[in-house]
């Protein structure tokens, strides 16, 4: 019975995590369509806060309860391909998030917040980088989720 509660908590936090990182891209694109730096800055500040409240705690809970679930079920974590590759994909997402996205988000929010320094060319340059790294950080945990659900023989 404990395994099912562990798995439930793991899955609920995966849903929250994936929802948050997916909707962040939406809010960025939605704000950019307005061509209003104030709305763009507001969107990025919201994305940064949502990452603090949902993404980071989600990563922690997903990891702890994923490992606990595998251990409780007696599934070898590194010896089970779909778990191993899910961990690798999840880790890639985390590294990209911390190394690339967090600094870019702060730069974009600061740039959009400063009316005197705001420059569309600079913004678009940073925004394209954020899009590239954002899609990598988004697609890798989605692929991990697919692996966890289908459990292919890897």
């Amino acid at each position: 019975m404990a395994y099912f509660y562990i798995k439930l908590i793991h899955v609920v936090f995966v849903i929250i995590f994936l929802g948050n990182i997916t909707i962040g891209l939406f809010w960025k694109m939605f704000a950019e369509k307005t061509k209003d730096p104030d709305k763009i800055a507001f969107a990025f500040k919201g994305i940064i806060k949502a990452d603090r409240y949902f993404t980071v705690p989600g990563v922690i809970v997903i990891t702890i309860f994923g490992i606990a679930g595998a251990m409780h079920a007696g599934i070898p974590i590194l010896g089970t391909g779909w778990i191993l590759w899910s961990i690798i994909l999840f880790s890639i997402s985390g590294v990209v998030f911390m190394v690339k996205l967090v600094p870019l988000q702060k730069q974009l929010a600061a740039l959009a917040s400063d009316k005197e320094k705001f420059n569309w060319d600079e913004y678009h340059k940073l925004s394209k980088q954020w899009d590239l790294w954002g899609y990598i950080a988004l697609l890798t945990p989605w692929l991990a989720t697919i692996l966890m659900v289908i459990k292919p023989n890897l």
Side-chain angles (χ1 to χ4, degrees):
M1 189 70 164
Y3 171 74
F4 294 109
Y5 289 114
I6 292 168
K7 188 174 179 179
L8 174 65
I9 292 167
H10 179 72
V11 170
V12 166
F13 275 84
V14 167
I15 292 166
I16 293 167
F17 171 81
L18 289 176
N20 186 59
I21 66 173
T22 302
I23 206 70
L25 289 168
F26 167 81
W27 282 116
K28 176 191 176 284
M29 290 187 293
F30 191 69
E32 286 176 343
K33 285 185 182 199
T34 69
K35 304 268 191 240
D36 182 345
D38 289 335
K39 288 183 175 134
I40 293 169
F42 183 78
F44 268 105
K45 289 174 186 171
I47 290 167
I48 290 167
K49 261 193 180 167
D51 284 340
R52 188 176 309 126
Y53 296 132
F54 300 107
T55 303
V56 174
V59 168
I60 294 165
V61 173
I62 290 165
T63 303
I64 290 169
F65 281 81
I67 291 168
M71 289 173 61
H72 195 277
I75 301 170
I77 295 169
L78 301 179
T80 306
W82 53 270
I83 294 177
L84 175 62
W85 281 104
S86 295
I87 291 169
I88 290 168
L89 289 165
F90 199 59
S91 298
I92 290 168
S93 178
V95 169
V96 167
F97 174 75
M98 293 304 296
V99 173
K100 294 292 189 177
L101 284 180
V102 168
L104 283 167
Q105 286 177 174
K106 289 178 182 177
Q107 287 178 287
L108 286 160
L111 181 62
S113 296
D114 190 340
K115 291 189 189 288
E116 291 178 20
K117 290 183 182 176
F118 187 79
N119 172 317
W120 279 110
D121 290 334
E122 178 66 17
Y123 178 83
H124 286 303
K125 179 183 155 201
L126 293 172
S127 177
K128 285 180 185 178
Q129 291 176 44
W130 191 92
D131 289 344
L132 169 70
W133 295 110
Y135 280 111
I136 292 169
L138 174 66
L139 293 176
T140 48
W142 272 104
L143 290 172
T145 302
I146 291 166
L147 290 177
M148 295 298 267
V149 171
I150 332 182
K151 298 175 177 47
N153 190 12
L154 300 174

